[in-house]
Amino acid sequence: MIVITVKGYLRSSGMFIPLLGKWEQRKSGMEDCVVRMEGICKYFGEKVALEHASIELHEGEVLGLVGDNGAGKSTLLKILAGVFPKDSGDIFIKGRKVRINSPRQSRSLGIEMVYQDMSLCGSLNAWENIYLGRYHTHPLRRSLLPILDKRSMARKALQSLRNLGIDLTDINGPVRNLSGGQQQAVAICRCQLFRPGVILLDEPTASMGMAEREKVLDMILDLKDQGSSIIMVTHNLQELFQVADRALVVKEGRSIWCGPLEGMEPENLAQMMFVGRA
Amino acid sequence: MGRIDRFQQLGLLTFLVIMGVLFSILSPYFMTWENLNNILVQSAVPIIVAVGMTLVIATRGIDMSIGSILAISSIFMAWTMKHGLGVAEGISLGVLSGTVMGTFNGLGIAKLGISPFIVTLGTAGIFRALALIFTEARPIYGMPLGFRILGTGQLGPVPLLIILALIVVVGGYFIIVWTRFGTNLRAVGDSQEVAYRMGVPVNRTLIAVYALSGAAAALAGIVVTARLNTAEAIAGLGIELKAIAAVVMGGTSFFGGGASVIGTLLGALIIGTLENGLTIINVPSYYQQLVIGVVFILAVMADRLLRGERDRQEKTIKQEAGL
Ligand SMILES: Nc1ncnc2c1ncn2[C@@H]1O[C@H](COP(=O)(O)OP(=O)(O)OP(=O)(O)O)[C@@H](O)[C@H]1O
Ligand SMILES: [Mg+2]
């Protein structure tokens, strides 16, 4: 009975009307927006991947990004991570308009991403992957010759993997020999090691078992408590309701709904994802 | 650098020893100090260029132009020394010219996105032609003594050019195992896309790798010029095949990811021993070409079987997972 009432209330309050990128949170001040992307368009040749998609990520929240296969979720995050250039639209970080031309630049803005395909080098080992692009060198010898500080990197990588409940017997073996879940753990460790302000997670638990999945969800909440703002793509609604504060629904390249998950029914969200309205 | 590498290197070492035993049974002249020294001296040039080629192949590339770069930088240093420059200046300019030509390759590959084979095959032709045009196909004789010493001199019992080759090997090993650049180049060989996403400067890494390969070719040019006391436009002809064979035999794969300078050293020594042994047991030199060609194809085939299969498996797994 209560459920029906809540549903009725939400419906009558107009929250399910597609907002086409302009939603209520907008007027509540831009300062608490860590990331704002507006009117993002992206075409792959003839194919339209994103059409005036918008997203707002608030300080210290977990924003769930949901939608059907091929809706454009990954493309949106990859634009923010600097993998693809956008065809049009604006990106603001903490209210300041930025251009992101490369993953390097995105990283320097404090943005880290766990890619859907995990983006690991199969023939490199776990710590080489985790530290790829920003290796530690020996502090003493740094000025003379930049010799890699392998021991410290291996130790720290092993430790952060342990925190996820992954105990690698061979930290020096190529990651291609690891299981899918272990590989995903490596990718997740890589994104959180440098305490980024913004973390983009593209289906981070897709190939994990139950126990590992719980650990990853715990870690996401930990990272949020430590002050990171997080966008997480997921197809698992249970997982979404477990960790996300708000959700953004993307359909056929457009952002069609955004709002808090509190008091929301999973079925309604699912309907929105697949039908486009509740 | 895992256990598999060690295993493969042990295999190569065993092969080298077996070959040595076989040749010394077939000929009493093989296992003498003089001849072993000879093998090392003969192998210095292939070793030096093969170390450069190891870096290139580790990025999934190839450098077909090292023979031409060797010739042109050899001519360049001979010409400058003939025209009054000192030995040190001549050598520096020679190595610099090799590096510049390598950078040229790297720029074509990284910035224009043309395949390494096509770019370096093209520049191989261009550089060789330039060498022939510049010298009018005539050799340059008569280097200064201070320069010739590099080819004939010894430090104690060890010839200087063996020391030079060893320095190059140690340098290559250090780069691959202990530096950022070394790990970056292996990552680029594994997947350029992943390396790019992780902020590795992919283009700069590729350009540097080809520049180093050019520099190695120029160092080999010093050895050739100093030993023969001659610089000529046809120097280093076909050296790239030997280098590629040594690298692939040594366990650095055409499919990227792994790079082993020690393996390359063993590969080059195997080829050198094979050539030397075949000469000593009086096999005519055209048969030697045949044997080297066969060894080359076998090494590439083994690479295809061992790593190519793995690559295909990885691809199908990824396709099935819909990635
Ligand atoms: N590199 C690319 N080249 C061409 N088309 C692409 C490329 N990347 C994505 N697309 C297309 O853009 C659209 C959006 O893809 P995207 O990967 O963003 O979807 P998604 O919402 O992440 O889907 P999924 O849930 O399956 O991961 C799809 O139709 C896809 O085919
Ligand atoms: Mg996706």
Side-chain angles (χ1 to χ4, degrees):
Chain A
M1 287 303 279
I2 298 165
V3 171
I4 292 165
T5 335
V6 171
K7 256 192 217 169
Y9 167 73
L10 286 175
R11 228 177 242 153
S12 62
S13 72
M15 282 192 75
F16 285 153
I17 296 168
L19 290 164
L20 296 172
K22 287 189 173 181
W23 50 78
E24 287 151 282
Q25 279 83 359
R26 181 79 172 274
K27 56 182 176 281
S28 71
M30 288 171 183
E31 291 76 38
D32 56 5
C33 266
V34 186
V35 175
R36 190 151 54 85
M37 297 171 81
E38 272 183 4
I40 303 288
C41 297
K42 177 73 194 171
Y43 312 98
F44 292 107
E46 292 284 281
K47 171 102 204 152
V48 181
L50 289 173
E51 207 174 9
H52 295 289
S54 297
I55 190 169
E56 276 182 7
L57 176 66
H58 297 176
E59 184 87 52
E61 75 166 348
V62 177
L63 175 67
L65 185 54
V66 292
D68 210 347
N69 287 117
K73 308 179 293 294
S74 300
T75 307
L76 191 60
L77 293 192
K78 280 180 182 168
I79 287 172
L80 188 54
V83 173
F84 299 140
K86 59 185 166 27
D87 290 321
S88 64
D90 296 313
I91 303 175
F92 300 88
I93 306 283
K94 295 203 166 130
R96 196 168 52 90
K97 192 168 167 178
V98 293
R99 283 169 159 271
I100 301 178
N101 296 321
S102 70
R104 234 177 141 78
Q105 228 169 4
S106 175
R107 270 190 170 183
S108 69
L109 290 167
I111 301 169
E112 286 282 331
M113 176 155 175
V114 173
Y115 293 89
Q116 190 169 8
D117 62 7
M118 292 188 252
S119 288
L120 298 173
C121 286
S123 56
L124 303 191
N125 65 35
W127 66 258
E128 284 172 333
N129 267 292
I130 288 174
Y131 285 91
L132 186 55
R134 40 197 177 182
Y135 295 105
H136 288 182
T137 45
H138 275 291
L140 275 178
R141 290 175 234 165
R142 191 175 294 153
S143 47
L144 297 170
L145 271 174
I147 296 174
L148 294 182
D149 192 353
K150 295 184 179 185
R151 204 182 302 162
S152 115
M153 288 190 278
R155 200 188 55 234
K156 286 189 182 141
L158 207 59
Q159 186 54 47
S160 70
L161 281 167
R162 276 212 190 104
N163 293 343
L164 284 181
I166 304 280
D167 224 334
L168 295 187
T169 44
D170 183 12
I171 187 82
N172 289 316
V175 297
R176 91 164 74 78
N177 294 346
L178 301 180
S179 76
Q182 288 171 327
Q183 291 187 9
Q184 203 139 37
V186 172
I188 292 171
C189 283
R190 179 171 63 188
C191 90
Q192 50 105 51
L193 212 59
F194 292 83
R195 307 205 166 278
V198 176
I199 301 178
L200 314 175
L201 304 168
D202 200 345
E203 303 191 26
T205 60
S207 44
M208 289 191 151
M210 285 294 275
E212 290 156 339
R213 187 178 289 243
E214 285 304 316
K215 286 222 166 69
V216 169
L217 296 183
D218 282 347
M219 194 202 79
I220 292 172
L221 292 175
D222 278 350
L223 287 169
K224 174 184 149 182
D225 287 342
Q226 288 161 23
S228 294
S229 314
I230 298 162
I231 304 177
M232 179 172 80
V233 176
T234 181
H235 284 289
N236 183 332
L237 291 189
Q238 191 197 340
E239 192 175 289
L240 178 77
F241 277 83
Q242 211 172 328
V243 295
D245 304 302
R246 296 189 308 135
L248 172 69
V249 180
V250 179
K251 186 166 170 57
E252 287 158 10
R254 295 165 177 276
S255 35
I256 61 165
W257 182 81
C258 180
L261 284 170
E262 220 175 325
M264 179 99 184
E265 283 297 310
E267 303 91 77
N268 286 340
L269 198 65
Q271 206 174 356
M272 195 111 58
M273 285 161 59
F274 300 116
V275 186
R277 61 195 150 72
Chain B
M1 299 297 253
R3 266 158 276 152
I4 298 166
D5 276 346
R6 306 259 157 69
F7 209 64
Q8 192 166 5
Q9 282 163 20
L10 211 64
L12 288 173
L13 203 59
T14 316
F15 187 63
L16 193 59
V17 170
I18 290 174
M19 217 162 52
V21 170
L22 249 150
F23 280 129
S24 46
I25 291 169
L26 291 171
S27 161
Y29 304 112
F30 180 82
M31 206 51 100
T32 58
W33 273 122
E34 212 184 328
N35 189 50
L36 293 184
N37 193 49
N38 222 350
I39 292 176
L40 286 178
V41 169
Q42 298 279 0
S43 302
V45 166
I47 287 172
I48 291 169
V49 289
V51 169
M53 188 70 85
T54 308
L55 304 184
V56 170
I57 290 182
T59 64
R60 279 196 208 216
I62 198 153
D63 190 347
M64 303 301 287
S65 70
I66 51 173
S68 305
I69 293 181
L70 187 157
I72 241 184
S73 52
S74 150
I75 287 164
F76 192 56
M77 67 183 94
W79 187 82
T80 51
M81 284 186 289
K82 278 249 144 185
H83 286 74
L85 261 92
V87 173
E89 288 95 328
I91 287 176
S92 310
L93 283 175
V95 174
L96 185 70
S97 70
T99 314
V100 169
M101 283 181 276
T103 307
F104 204 69
N105 284 332
L107 284 171
I109 290 154
K111 298 284 182 191
L112 304 180
I114 311 172
S115 91
F117 182 76
I118 301 295
V119 169
T120 57
L121 200 61
T123 55
I126 294 169
F127 295 154
R128 184 73 71 191
L130 287 178
L132 286 162
I133 293 166
F134 183 75
T135 58
E136 293 170 325
R138 280 195 296 263
I140 304 175
Y141 298 107
M143 303 300 134
L145 180 66
F147 183 76
R148 289 204 316 267
I149 270 286
L150 284 172
T152 51
Q154 299 203 333
L155 191 75
V158 192
L160 286 177
L161 47 88
I162 292 179
I163 293 175
L164 179 66
L166 275 180
I167 290 173
V168 172
V169 168
V170 171
Y173 178 84
F174 177 78
I175 285 175
I176 286 180
V177 177
W178 287 104
T179 66
R180 274 170 224 240
F181 172 63
T183 321
N184 284 348
L185 76 87
R186 283 191 292 131
V188 167
D190 191 294
S191 161
Q192 283 198 17
E193 180 62 25
V194 170
Y196 173 67
R197 286 182 187 180
M198 293 307 130
V200 171
V202 175
N203 283 352
R204 242 195 295 150
T205 305
L206 284 174
I207 293 167
V209 159
Y210 286 91
L212 283 173
S213 177
L219 284 176
I222 300 176
V223 174
V224 172
T225 319
R227 273 189 71 207
L228 303 178
N229 194 16
T230 308
E232 51 186 341
I234 54 157
L237 210 59
I239 189 77
E240 64 279 353
L241 272 194
K242 238 187 239 181
I244 297 165
V247 172
V248 176
M249 218 191 295
T252 300
S253 171
F254 272 133
F255 299 93
S260 166
V261 173
I262 305 300
T264 296
L265 173 66
L266 290 171
L269 286 177
I270 285 175
I271 294 173
T273 307
L274 203 57
E275 278 181 323
N276 173 281
L278 290 174
T279 311
I280 277 194
I281 61 173
N282 292 322
V283 175
S285 67
Y286 35 88
Y287 282 98
Q288 289 176 31
Q289 292 282 331
L290 185 89
V291 173
I292 306 271
V294 169
V295 167
F296 173 68
I297 288 176
L298 285 179
V300 175
M301 261 168 57
D303 178 46
R304 208 158 264 279
L305 281 175
L306 289 170
R307 325 267 176 140
E309 184 55 33
R310 180 201 77 200
D311 250 36
R312 263 196 301 285
Q313 277 172 4
E314 263 177 24
K315 276 210 193 89
T316 31
I317 289 167
K318 279 200 171 169
Q319 273 160 12
E320 279 166 11
L323 297 176

